[in-house]
């Protein structure tokens, strides 16, 4: 019995101590810690990314306008050529034969014209003396006119045959480098319906460009002259620079995705960039350097009277855009004029001086919220209306 009473007494003491602990010292005091940031000079940038293809600024496809067998090739891949340099020749036997036949036809037509000219002059003289009829004179003149036209046509045929013979000698139209070769010696090329492609020559591989496909959602921010940086998989550690030189108006639709071509300059003095490489492009659509700026979160911060600590107060101002500072126990609003923003950093045009620390965010520590592991709501931001407990937007019960 004595042991039983002893244990009952100990239990009562423990219970009383537990009750006292719960109502006096069991709860940790909730503490608000504020995050601040200095208003300072910064660079503000916005950019979009895309992929594109490296290609020469100027490239020419060399073909042939006559059919024949490729007799000689004088260049190969990567050959450096000069304008007017002979790079290939077609077999000329048939073309020379056509030229000789055209010259023979011209000689025959010229002989006929000489005879018809003399005949026409003779009939003209007799007609003027009344010795031949008008019909005979007109026939002589008609024959003479036909002979002249035949000579003119024969001359054109000779010129055409000479031109075709000239086409059998393929020359480079520009100074450059041979990128591709589509034929081999002995191969027959036919120019009946289209011009066969023999070579592709790039004018200057030190002056390249990127053709990038920009999504329709981003094309509105792309302008000529904007700075561009890009990388290629062949040189992952190198970054190349360029600028937007052209924004093409023609849209391309593929699988319901609309894109626009943007031309980007790509200087290539060290010849690292090769035609056909895929470029990972970053276009800087907005760049402002060394401007006064603050975190964009500071413009969204708003203290709330609901959970202010004892002695703290708020000094607000009527302004569309403002930032807040904490001076001792006073939350003070500063009306500011803002400029450009990239969503993370916002330019401050006026309203606050450089170096000022503005309130950006806060966090709660201690109290039941921390012990329960629940996510605390910001007491310094307006709270949403709760229909269940009929509280106002500031977390206090509305006055009746």
């Amino acid at each position: 019995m004595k042991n039983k009473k002893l244990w009952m007494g100990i239990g009562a003491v423990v219970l009383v101590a537990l009750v006292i602990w719960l109502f006096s010292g069991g709860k940790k005091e909730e503490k608000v810690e504020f995050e601040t940031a200095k208003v300072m000079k910064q660079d503000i940038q916005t950019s979009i990314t895309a992929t594109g293809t490296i290609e020469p600024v100027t490239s020419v496809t060399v073909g042939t306008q006559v059919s024949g067998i490729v007799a000689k090739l004088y260049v190969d891949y990567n050959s450096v050529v000069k304008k007017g340099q002979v790079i290939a020749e077609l077999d000329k036997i048939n073309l020379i034969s056509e030229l000789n036949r055209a010259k023979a036809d011209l000689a025959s037509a010229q002989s006929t014209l000489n005879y018809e000219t003399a005949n026409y002059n003779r009939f003209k003289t007799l007609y003027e003396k009344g010795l031949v009829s008008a019909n005979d004179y007109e026939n002589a003149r008609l024959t003479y006119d036909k002979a002249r036209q035949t000579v003119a046509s024969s001359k054109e045929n000779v010129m055409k045959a000479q031109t075709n013979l000239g086409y059998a000698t393929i020359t480079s139209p520009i100074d450059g480098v041979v990128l591709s070769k589509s034929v081999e010696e002995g191969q027959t090329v036919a120019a009946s319906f289209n011009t066969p492609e023999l070579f592709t020559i790039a004018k200057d591989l030190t002056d390249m460009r990127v053709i990038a496909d920009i999504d329709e959602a981003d094309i509105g921010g792309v302008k000529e002259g904007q700075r561009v940086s890009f990388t290629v998989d062949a040189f992952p550690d190198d970054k190349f620079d360029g600028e937007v030189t052209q924004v093409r108006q023609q849209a391309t639709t593929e699988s319901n995705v609309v894109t626009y071509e943007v031309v980007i300059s790509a200087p290539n003095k060290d010849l690292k960039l090769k035609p056909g490489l895929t470029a990972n492009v970053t276009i800087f659509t907005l760049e402002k350097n060394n401007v006064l700026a603050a975190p964009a979160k500071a413009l969204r911060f708003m203290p709330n009277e609901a959970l202010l600590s004892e002695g703290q107060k708020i000094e607000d101002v009527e302004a569309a855009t403002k930032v807040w500072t904490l001076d001792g126990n006073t939350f003070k609003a500063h009306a500011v004029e803002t400029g450009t923003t990239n969503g993370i950093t916002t330019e401050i045009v006026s309203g606050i001086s450089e170096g000022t620390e503005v309130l950006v965010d806060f966090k709660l520590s201690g109290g039941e919220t921390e012990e329960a592991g629940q996510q605390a709501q910001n007491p310094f931001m307006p709270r949403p209306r709760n229909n269940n407990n009929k509280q106002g937007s500031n977390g206090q019960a509305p006055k009746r």
Side-chain angles (χ1 to χ4, degrees):
M1 290 295 293
K2 290 182 179 181
N3 290 336
K4 184 175 181 181
K5 289 180 180 180
L6 177 61
W7 284 110
M8 290 179 63
I10 293 172
V13 172
V14 172
L15 180 60
V16 171
L18 180 61
V19 171
I20 294 173
W21 180 81
L22 288 175
F23 285 93
S24 62
K27 296 181 181 179
K28 295 181 182 179
E29 182 180 357
E30 192 171 57
K31 183 180 178 181
V32 181
E33 296 179 356
F34 295 97
E35 179 185 347
T36 62
K38 284 187 178 181
V39 179
M40 56 191 301
K41 295 290 183 66
Q42 301 182 52
D43 297 339
I44 301 178
Q45 296 178 340
T46 59
S47 62
I48 61 174
T49 58
T51 58
T53 304
I54 305 289
E55 64 178 40
V57 172
T58 302
S59 62
V60 178
T61 300
V62 181
T64 174
Q65 296 189 20
V66 293
S67 302
I69 298 173
V70 178
K72 291 287 184 180
L73 290 177
Y74 298 104
V75 296
D76 203 346
Y77 291 95
N78 300 333
S79 295
V80 178
V81 296
K82 298 293 184 180
K83 183 177 181 180
Q85 177 182 335
V86 177
I87 57 179
E89 284 185 331
L90 301 182
D91 182 77
K92 300 179 181 180
I93 295 177
N94 291 335
L95 297 174
I96 293 174
S97 176
E98 290 179 3
L99 175 60
N100 292 335
R101 184 169 58 249
K103 288 181 177 180
D105 291 342
L106 175 60
S108 175
Q110 187 64 52
S111 298
T112 302
L113 176 61
N114 293 338
Y115 169 77
E116 295 297 341
T117 301
N119 189 55
Y120 168 69
N121 290 332
R122 184 169 56 253
F123 269 85
K124 182 179 180 182
T125 301
L126 294 175
Y127 175 72
E128 290 174 351
K129 294 180 179 182
L131 299 177
V132 294
S133 65
N135 185 55
D136 292 338
Y137 169 70
E138 292 297 335
N139 285 334
R141 188 176 69 174
L142 178 61
T143 304
Y144 165 71
D145 289 338
K146 286 183 177 180
R148 286 194 303 115
Q149 293 171 1
T150 301
V151 169
S153 177
S154 297
K155 288 182 178 180
E156 292 296 326
N157 290 335
V158 171
M159 291 181 61
K160 180 180 178 180
Q162 287 176 334
T163 301
N164 287 339
L165 180 60
Y167 286 152
T169 300
I170 313 299
T171 60
S172 175
I174 58 173
D175 295 343
V177 178
V178 177
L179 295 183
S180 67
K181 182 184 69 171
S182 304
V183 293
E184 298 293 342
E185 290 186 2
Q187 182 175 338
T188 301
V189 292
S192 302
F193 301 103
N194 52 24
T195 302
E197 296 181 1
L198 306 182
F199 305 94
T200 299
I201 300 176
K203 183 176 182 180
D204 185 5
L205 292 183
T206 63
D207 186 18
M208 306 287 277
R209 65 181 180 179
V210 180
I211 306 298
D213 295 323
I214 307 299
D215 189 85
E216 61 177 324
D218 298 324
I219 194 63
V222 180
K223 302 290 186 298
E224 291 184 9
Q226 290 174 340
R227 184 172 69 90
V228 179
S229 66
F230 62 93
T231 60
V232 294
D233 292 340
F235 303 97
D237 297 329
D238 293 341
K239 182 175 288 187
F240 303 89
D241 296 318
E243 70 173 34
V244 176
T245 59
Q246 186 182 53
V247 181
R248 293 177 176 173
Q249 302 297 325
Q250 178 65 40
T252 301
T253 304
E254 185 174 349
S255 300
N256 294 326
V257 176
V258 180
T259 58
Y260 292 83
E261 287 187 344
V262 171
V263 182
I264 300 164
S265 65
N268 188 33
K269 292 182 180 179
D270 53 6
L271 298 178
K272 285 186 176 181
L273 299 176
K274 301 182 183 302
L277 288 178
T278 298
N280 303 304
V281 176
T282 300
I283 302 175
F284 295 93
T285 56
L286 170 65
E287 284 190 292
K288 277 202 169 183
N289 298 324
N290 199 32
V291 296
L292 198 64
K297 291 171 60 177
L299 299 168
R300 299 191 294 268
F301 183 90
M302 178 69 68
N304 192 305
E305 295 181 355
L307 295 179
L308 292 183
S309 300
E310 184 178 354
Q312 290 183 331
K313 61 179 181 178
I314 297 175
E315 291 184 5
D316 202 353
V317 294
E318 291 292 334
T321 308
K322 50 192 170 184
V323 295
W324 293 82
T325 60
L326 180 57
D327 185 8
N329 287 330
T330 302
F331 292 91
K332 188 174 181 180
H334 303 263
V336 294
E337 180 183 354
T338 59
T340 56
T341 181
N342 59 7
I344 299 174
T345 305
T346 300
E347 179 187 5
I348 304 297
V349 178
S350 63
I352 199 164
S353 59
E354 183 179 358
T356 303
E357 289 196 356
V358 295
L359 295 169
V360 175
D361 204 349
F362 85 102
K363 65 178 179 179
L364 295 176
S365 61
E368 293 179 348
T369 305
E370 185 180 43
E371 292 175 358
Q374 298 175 354
Q375 183 178 0
Q377 291 184 343
N378 190 338
F380 293 89
M381 296 293 287
R383 291 190 174 185
R385 184 178 298 276
N386 189 333
N387 293 328
N388 293 331
N389 56 18
K390 301 185 183 298
Q391 289 184 336
S393 60
N394 62 357
Q396 297 177 331
K399 296 180 181 180
R400 297 185 181 273

